[in-house]
Amino acid sequence: MITNTELRELGNQFPNEVISFKQNVDKLYFKTKNNVVLELSVLRDSVLRFRYGTRGQLEDDFSYAISDKNIKGYNKLEVSEDVDNYIITTSKLVCKIEKKSLQKKIYDIKGQLINEDELGFHYEEFYDRGGNVVKMSKWTQEKEAFYGMGDKPMHSNLRGKRVQNWPTDEYAFAKDKDPIYKAVPFYIGLHHQQAYGVFFDNSFRTFFDFCHERHNITSFWAQGGEMNYYFIYGPKMENVVSNYTNLTGQAELPPLWALGYHQCKWSYYPESRFREVAKKFRELKIPCDGIYLDIDYMEGFRCFTWNKEYFPDPKKMVKELADDGFKTIVIIDPGIKIDDEYEIYKQGIEKDYFCKRADGPHMIGKVWPGECCFPDFTKPEVRDWWADLYKELIGDIGVKGVWNDMNEPAVMEVPNKTFPDDVRHDYDGHPCSHRKAHNVYGTQMARATYEGVKKYGYPKRPFVITRSAYSGAQRYGTSWTGDNVATWEHLWIANVQVQRMNLSGMAFTGSDIGGFAEQPNSELFVRWIQLGVFHPFCRTHSSGHHGDQEPWTFDDEVTDITRKFIELRYTLLPYLYTAFYQYSTEGLPIVKPLVYFDQNDPQTHFRTDEFIFGNKILVCPILEPNSKGRRMYFPRGEWYNFWDNTCFSGGKEMWVDADMDSLPVYVKAGAIIPRYPVQQYVGELEITELKLDVYFKHGEEISHVYEDAQDGYDYQKGRYSYRNFKLTGKKDDFIITQHKLGKYNTEYDYFKINLIGLPFDIFEIEIDNVKVSLDELEFDDTKTNFKITKDFSEIHIKSNNDR
Ligand code: GLC
């Protein structure tokens, strides 16, 4: 492995003094005497981009990660000089560039040092492969913590670790295994209550060292390409993640059904078995929306074919399942079987769409079907071809989603588990070797799939899942964490990974519930389901070689607990959908680690287990066998126990009970949580009223509820409903105001308000300044539940006390 230190011995080169500077609007160019160039772009007041070139040159500016929809624009940009530095000032940052070395220091506007180069940019010629190994090192602050970096299966705070990005098919990976399936070269640093991010947009194999090699140095480097990184200032983590996601692209809003429960297995076949599983969900009244066909539905694992013996009439089957609320999702891998009789293979050969080795032969590797060729998804024409291959599956047969697997790309029976370095790629007109294209290959496959599923499913929204991902993959779909194992340690890993992916711009992620390899015992399955229903993507999946893994596989108690938690997810769908809306519009995580929730509380910096689901619900999974409960940390503020509505103050660690059928779940005081009735699948029931659980708080709190047609694109034309509720609680007084955006008219006319924790007896209620009799509101006996028209602007609840 190439490391920073080893390279230093071999001859690092450093920029020396700046000899020229010029500015072209938002781009500043510096050139040194030894011909290093730095292009600094000011994208936003809090986002700076640094690109370094050697021999006086920068590469063609092309990136798969950066979205063309990213928002640019700053309020202020001033450049000045003192004796030693160039000084760039925006309304949020001051960046000083040392004239003698190109080393930088970045401060916030109050003068707090946020980030400082140590050696700064340096590089070494990579004679064997061409180009440079490009490197950056920075000083680390005393209590600095590091987060992000995709799917790393390790402690959430990365300080002390060295990691690398090179998607790898790691069947049954372990804690601390690195790299695994994804490549997200983006981290968040946090010190002095200030967060910033670094996104190193380089698709070669990249390395990040967070004080592993030297205790006070953070460095990152790549085996080729350019030192090209974005510095994103917070000061809140929320600002960093949202700006990173804005740069790399916001996810589309998925169809609501995709947030339901999914059942998968390698593999459900033949058709009778597939239908039997679906039927059992309805019989046992366990809600389920997504049901999956793994590789055995194909003819000899040939993509875009059906095994007609197992599935004689796929269209009929898919339709009948759809009539019962099931959405069929099928797997598609990148490997195309070498077979002269196979249409897709013939087309790929004819059109010259498959990857080739440096000297001309095709890249041939073994995957499920045996020897395969692999489309070069980095070529636009190939992506268009691939997208069109979905015409029959989606447009004709009616499949609702596609699951892209093995796209690291995975190759079997070879030591490096993937293509050799010399394989050639188009890289959208920038021909290169696999060293540069490896990290983006899977994402470009998912992109082509997304285009096809969108095109042939239109006007419905596409649903695509990918195993491999590079930064920006969130634009194309969902991801899962790969081939985990049915162990308690993997339950811990799944929790950390999903939180980490949420900080890395890819919130729509889940793990194989219950574990893919091996079989969970009933307790582990229960604890995993309890966590899984709070993950953005909620799918049980397992390998058939290790036994069954459906909710009814274990015993009646497990079936009942599983049903209870899946039902809970379905009742929370409007709440979860609101979080998805905020993710798709503002790039905000759906699952929020505690450090994200309250970065100013140092207690949160090392917590891995507890997280916030959406904005208001605190969840802590049970990660050990035989637990009757556990200790957990409650962030500062007031919390209600979700199960019994008792209220208490956080800012401390406490013991909480959690028998097998329960999980520590708490709601932030002041929250308004929208809930639907239990449905067996999304759209089964007409929603006749929206339940709002209102948790009293002394003080103010804002909550939101997003709704739309649950699928389709009308919401982009303003046909959505985004309600903003402001709650103000006082000793004798309780006010809820509502402000609604959007033109969508929900099918229900009433809210059912459920008041929780109101500290006084209700004497009088005014709605929009008019006194209303309590009878009119259909109060229940407990005097906590009432019905109110959905269009109110203000509810004012008064006590008798001040009269
Ligand atoms: C890979 C996938 C897994 C899938 C299997 C067979 O191992 O990660 O989810 O079931 O291949 O397709």
Side-chain angles (χ1 to χ4, degrees), residues 169 171-172 181 264-267 293-296 298 301 331 333 368 403-406 408 410 412 467 480-484 512 516 539 541-545:
D169 175 15
Y171 174 79
Y181 304 93
C264 189
K265 170 103 199 156
W266 177 20
S267 285
L293 292 172
D294 205 325
I295 47 177
D296 298 284
M298 304 176 203
F301 308 129
I331 198 166
D333 290 348
W368 305 119
W403 166 27
N404 280 168
D405 186 24
M406 308 294 273
E408 291 68 31
M412 292 168 173
R467 190 170 73 175
W480 90 105
T481 58
D483 294 345
N484 58 5
D512 283 352
F516 177 72
R539 182 182 78 159
H541 180 40
S542 66
S543 149
H545 310 300

Coordinates of all heavy atoms in Angstrom, one line a residue, residues 169 171-172 181 264-267 293-296 298 301 331 333 368 403-406 408 410 412 467 480-484 512 516 539 541-545, ligand 1:
D169 N -16.5 -6.3 -3.4 CA -17.6 -7.3 -3.1 C -17.1 -8.0 -1.9 O -16.4 -9.0 -2.0 CB -17.8 -8.2 -4.3 CG -18.7 -9.3 -4.0 OD1 -19.4 -9.3 -3.0 OD2 -18.7 -10.3 -4.8
Y171 N -18.2 -10.2 0.7 CA -19.2 -11.1 1.3 C -18.9 -11.3 2.8 O -17.7 -11.6 3.1 CB -19.2 -12.5 0.5 CG -20.0 -13.5 1.1 CD1 -21.4 -13.5 0.9 CD2 -19.5 -14.5 2.0 CE1 -22.2 -14.5 1.5 CE2 -20.3 -15.5 2.5 CZ -21.7 -15.5 2.3 OH -22.4 -16.4 2.9
A172 N -19.9 -11.2 3.6 CA -19.7 -11.5 5.0 C -18.6 -10.6 5.6 O -17.8 -11.1 6.4 CB -19.5 -12.9 5.3
Y181 N -18.3 -1.9 0.0 CA -19.0 -1.7 -1.3 C -19.0 -0.2 -1.9 O -19.1 -0.1 -3.1 CB -20.4 -2.1 -1.2 CG -20.6 -3.5 -0.7 CD1 -20.7 -3.9 0.6 CD2 -20.5 -4.6 -1.6 CE1 -20.8 -5.2 1.0 CE2 -20.7 -5.9 -1.2 CZ -20.8 -6.2 0.1 OH -20.9 -7.5 0.5
C264 N -37.4 -9.8 0.8 CA -36.5 -10.3 -0.3 C -35.9 -11.6 0.2 O -35.9 -12.0 1.4 CB -35.4 -9.2 -0.5 SG -34.3 -9.5 -1.9
K265 N -35.3 -12.3 -0.8 CA -34.7 -13.6 -0.5 C -33.9 -14.0 -1.7 O -34.3 -13.8 -2.8 CB -35.8 -14.6 -0.2 CG -35.3 -16.0 -0.1 CD -35.3 -16.4 1.3 CE -34.4 -17.5 1.7 NZ -34.1 -17.4 3.1
W266 N -32.8 -14.7 -1.5 CA -32.1 -15.3 -2.6 C -32.4 -16.8 -2.6 O -31.8 -17.5 -1.8 CB -30.6 -15.0 -2.5 CG -29.8 -15.7 -3.5 CD1 -30.2 -16.1 -4.7 CD2 -28.4 -16.0 -3.4 NE1 -29.1 -16.7 -5.4 CE2 -28.0 -16.6 -4.7 CE3 -27.4 -15.8 -2.5 CZ2 -26.7 -17.1 -4.9 CZ3 -26.1 -16.2 -2.7 CH2 -25.8 -16.8 -4.0
S267 N -33.4 -17.3 -3.3 CA -34.3 -16.6 -4.2 C -35.7 -17.2 -3.9 O -35.8 -18.4 -3.6 CB -34.0 -16.9 -5.6 OG -32.9 -16.3 -6.1
L293 N -37.4 -10.6 -6.7 CA -36.9 -11.8 -7.4 C -35.4 -11.6 -7.6 O -34.9 -10.7 -8.2 CB -37.6 -11.8 -8.8 CG -39.1 -12.2 -8.8 CD1 -39.7 -12.0 -10.2 CD2 -39.3 -13.6 -8.2
D294 N -34.7 -12.5 -7.0 CA -33.2 -12.6 -7.1 C -32.9 -13.3 -8.3 O -33.7 -13.8 -9.1 CB -32.7 -13.2 -5.8 CG -31.2 -12.7 -5.5 OD1 -30.5 -12.6 -6.5 OD2 -30.8 -12.6 -4.3
I295 N -31.6 -13.6 -8.5 CA -31.1 -14.1 -9.8 C -31.8 -15.3 -10.5 O -31.7 -15.5 -11.7 CB -29.6 -14.4 -9.8 CG1 -29.2 -15.2 -8.5 CG2 -28.8 -13.1 -9.8 CD1 -27.7 -15.6 -8.4
D296 N -32.4 -16.1 -9.7 CA -33.0 -17.4 -10.2 C -34.2 -17.2 -11.1 O -34.7 -18.1 -11.7 CB -33.3 -18.3 -9.1 CG -32.1 -18.7 -8.4 OD1 -31.3 -19.5 -8.9 OD2 -31.8 -18.2 -7.3
M298 N -34.1 -15.6 -13.7 CA -33.6 -15.4 -15.1 C -33.3 -16.8 -15.7 O -33.2 -17.8 -15.0 CB -32.3 -14.7 -15.1 CG -32.4 -13.3 -14.4 SD -30.7 -12.6 -14.4 CE -30.8 -11.5 -13.1
F301 N -29.2 -17.1 -15.4 CA -28.6 -15.8 -14.9 C -28.3 -14.8 -16.1 O -27.5 -14.0 -15.9 CB -27.4 -16.1 -14.1 CG -27.6 -17.1 -13.0 CD1 -26.7 -18.2 -12.9 CD2 -28.6 -17.0 -12.1 CE1 -26.8 -19.1 -11.9 CE2 -28.8 -17.9 -11.1 CZ -27.9 -19.0 -11.0
I331 N -33.8 -8.2 -9.7 CA -32.3 -8.0 -9.7 C -31.8 -7.9 -11.1 O -32.3 -8.6 -12.0 CB -31.6 -9.1 -8.9 CG1 -30.2 -8.6 -8.5 CG2 -31.5 -10.4 -9.7 CD1 -29.6 -9.5 -7.4
D333 N -27.8 -7.7 -12.8 CA -26.3 -7.5 -12.5 C -25.7 -7.0 -13.8 O -26.2 -7.1 -14.9 CB -25.8 -8.9 -12.2 CG -26.2 -9.4 -10.8 OD1 -26.8 -8.6 -10.1 OD2 -26.0 -10.6 -10.5
W368 N -22.2 -14.9 -11.7 CA -23.2 -16.0 -11.6 C -23.3 -16.8 -12.9 O -23.4 -18.0 -12.8 CB -24.5 -15.5 -11.1 CG -24.4 -14.7 -9.8 CD1 -24.8 -13.4 -9.7 CD2 -24.0 -15.1 -8.5 NE1 -24.6 -12.9 -8.4 CE2 -24.1 -14.0 -7.7 CE3 -23.5 -16.3 -8.0 CZ2 -23.8 -14.1 -6.3 CZ3 -23.2 -16.4 -6.7 CH2 -23.3 -15.3 -5.8
W403 N -33.1 -3.8 -8.9 CA -32.1 -3.9 -7.9 C -30.8 -4.2 -8.6 O -30.6 -5.3 -9.2 CB -32.6 -5.0 -7.0 CG -31.7 -5.7 -6.0 CD1 -30.6 -5.2 -5.4 CD2 -31.8 -7.0 -5.5 NE1 -30.0 -6.1 -4.6 CE2 -30.8 -7.2 -4.6 CE3 -32.7 -8.0 -5.7 CZ2 -30.6 -8.4 -3.9 CZ3 -32.6 -9.2 -5.0 CH2 -31.5 -9.4 -4.1
N404 N -29.8 -3.3 -8.6 CA -28.5 -3.5 -9.3 C -27.5 -4.0 -8.3 O -27.2 -3.3 -7.3 CB -28.0 -2.2 -9.9 CG -28.6 -1.8 -11.2 OD1 -28.5 -0.7 -11.7 ND2 -29.4 -2.8 -11.8
D405 N -27.0 -5.2 -8.6 CA -26.0 -5.8 -7.6 C -24.7 -6.1 -8.3 O -24.6 -5.9 -9.5 CB -26.7 -7.1 -7.2 CG -25.9 -7.8 -6.1 OD1 -25.2 -7.1 -5.4 OD2 -26.1 -9.1 -6.0
M406 N -23.7 -6.5 -7.6 CA -22.4 -6.9 -8.2 C -21.8 -5.8 -9.0 O -20.9 -6.1 -9.9 CB -22.6 -8.2 -9.0 CG -23.3 -9.3 -8.4 SD -22.5 -10.0 -6.9 CE -21.4 -11.2 -7.7
E408 N -19.6 -3.4 -8.3 CA -18.4 -2.8 -7.8 C -17.4 -2.5 -9.0 O -16.6 -1.5 -8.9 CB -17.7 -3.6 -6.7 CG -18.5 -3.6 -5.4 CD -19.9 -4.4 -5.6 OE1 -19.9 -5.3 -6.3 OE2 -20.8 -4.0 -4.9
A410 N -18.0 -6.7 -9.4 CA -17.5 -7.9 -8.7 C -17.2 -9.0 -9.8 O -17.9 -9.2 -10.8 CB -18.6 -8.5 -7.8
M412 N -15.7 -13.0 -9.8 CA -15.4 -14.2 -8.9 C -14.1 -14.9 -9.3 O -13.6 -14.8 -10.4 CB -16.6 -15.2 -9.1 CG -17.9 -14.6 -8.5 SD -19.2 -15.7 -9.0 CE -20.5 -15.0 -8.0
R467 N -25.8 -1.6 -5.0 CA -24.9 -2.0 -3.9 C -23.7 -1.1 -3.9 O -23.2 -0.7 -2.9 CB -24.5 -3.5 -4.1 CG -23.8 -4.0 -2.9 CD -23.6 -5.5 -2.9 NE -22.7 -5.9 -3.9 CZ -22.3 -7.2 -4.1 NH1 -22.8 -8.1 -3.3 NH2 -21.4 -7.5 -5.0
W480 N -28.3 -0.5 -0.3 CA -28.3 -1.3 0.9 C -26.8 -1.7 1.2 O -25.9 -1.4 0.4 CB -29.2 -2.5 0.7 CG -28.5 -3.8 0.2 CD1 -28.2 -4.9 0.9 CD2 -28.2 -4.1 -1.2 NE1 -27.7 -5.8 0.0 CE2 -27.7 -5.4 -1.2 CE3 -28.3 -3.3 -2.4 CZ2 -27.2 -5.9 -2.4 CZ3 -27.9 -3.9 -3.5 CH2 -27.3 -5.2 -3.5
T481 N -26.6 -2.2 2.4 CA -25.2 -2.2 2.9 C -24.5 -3.5 2.5 O -23.4 -3.8 3.0 CB -25.2 -2.1 4.4 OG1 -26.0 -3.1 5.0 CG2 -25.7 -0.7 4.9
G482 N -25.1 -4.4 1.7 CA -24.4 -5.5 1.1 C -24.5 -6.8 2.0 O -25.4 -6.9 2.9
D483 N -23.6 -7.7 1.8 CA -23.8 -9.0 2.4 C -23.3 -9.1 3.8 O -22.2 -9.5 4.1 CB -23.0 -10.0 1.5 CG -23.6 -10.2 0.1 OD1 -24.7 -9.7 -0.1 OD2 -22.9 -10.7 -0.8
N484 N -24.1 -8.7 4.7 CA -23.8 -8.8 6.1 C -24.1 -10.2 6.7 O -24.5 -11.1 5.9 CB -24.6 -7.7 6.9 CG -26.1 -7.8 6.7 OD1 -26.6 -8.8 6.1 ND2 -26.9 -6.9 7.2
D512 N -29.6 -5.6 5.2 CA -30.4 -6.8 5.0 C -30.8 -7.2 6.4 O -30.0 -7.6 7.3 CB -29.5 -7.9 4.4 CG -29.3 -7.8 2.9 OD1 -29.9 -6.9 2.3 OD2 -28.5 -8.5 2.4
F516 N -27.7 -11.3 6.0 CA -27.7 -12.0 4.7 C -27.2 -13.4 4.8 O -27.8 -14.4 4.5 CB -26.9 -11.2 3.7 CG -26.9 -11.9 2.3 CD1 -28.0 -12.0 1.5 CD2 -25.7 -12.5 1.9 CE1 -27.9 -12.6 0.3 CE2 -25.6 -13.1 0.7 CZ -26.7 -13.2 -0.2
R539 N -35.8 -3.5 4.4 CA -36.0 -4.7 3.7 C -35.3 -5.9 4.4 O -34.2 -5.8 4.8 CB -35.3 -4.6 2.3 CG -35.4 -5.8 1.4 CD -34.7 -5.6 0.1 NE -33.2 -5.8 0.2 CZ -32.4 -6.1 -0.8 NH1 -32.8 -6.2 -2.0 NH2 -31.1 -6.2 -0.5
H541 N -33.6 -9.4 3.9 CA -33.1 -10.2 2.8 C -32.1 -11.2 3.4 O -31.5 -11.0 4.4 CB -32.3 -9.2 1.9 CG -31.7 -10.0 0.7 ND1 -32.3 -11.0 0.0 CD2 -30.4 -9.8 0.1 CE1 -31.5 -11.4 -1.0 NE2 -30.4 -10.7 -0.9
S542 N -32.0 -12.4 2.8 CA -31.1 -13.4 3.2 C -30.8 -14.3 2.1 O -31.5 -14.4 1.1 CB -31.7 -14.1 4.4 OG -32.8 -14.9 3.9
S543 N -29.7 -15.0 2.4 CA -29.3 -16.0 1.4 C -30.0 -17.3 1.7 O -30.1 -17.8 2.8 CB -27.8 -16.2 1.5 OG -27.4 -17.5 1.2
G544 N -30.5 -17.9 0.6 CA -31.3 -19.1 0.7 C -30.6 -20.3 1.3 O -31.2 -21.2 1.8
H545 N -29.3 -20.3 1.2 CA -28.5 -21.4 1.7 C -28.6 -21.6 3.2 O -28.2 -22.5 3.8 CB -27.1 -21.3 1.3 CG -26.9 -21.0 -0.1 ND1 -27.3 -21.8 -1.1 CD2 -26.3 -19.9 -0.7 CE1 -27.0 -21.3 -2.3 NE2 -26.4 -20.2 -2.1
Ligands
GLC1 C1 -24.9 -10.8 -3.8 C2 -25.9 -9.8 -3.2 C3 -27.0 -10.4 -2.6 C4 -27.7 -11.3 -3.6 C5 -26.8 -12.3 -4.2 C6 -27.4 -13.2 -5.3 O1 -24.3 -11.6 -2.8 O2 -25.2 -8.9 -2.4 O3 -27.9 -9.5 -2.1 O4 -28.8 -12.0 -3.0 O5 -25.7 -11.7 -4.7 O6 -27.9 -12.4 -6.3

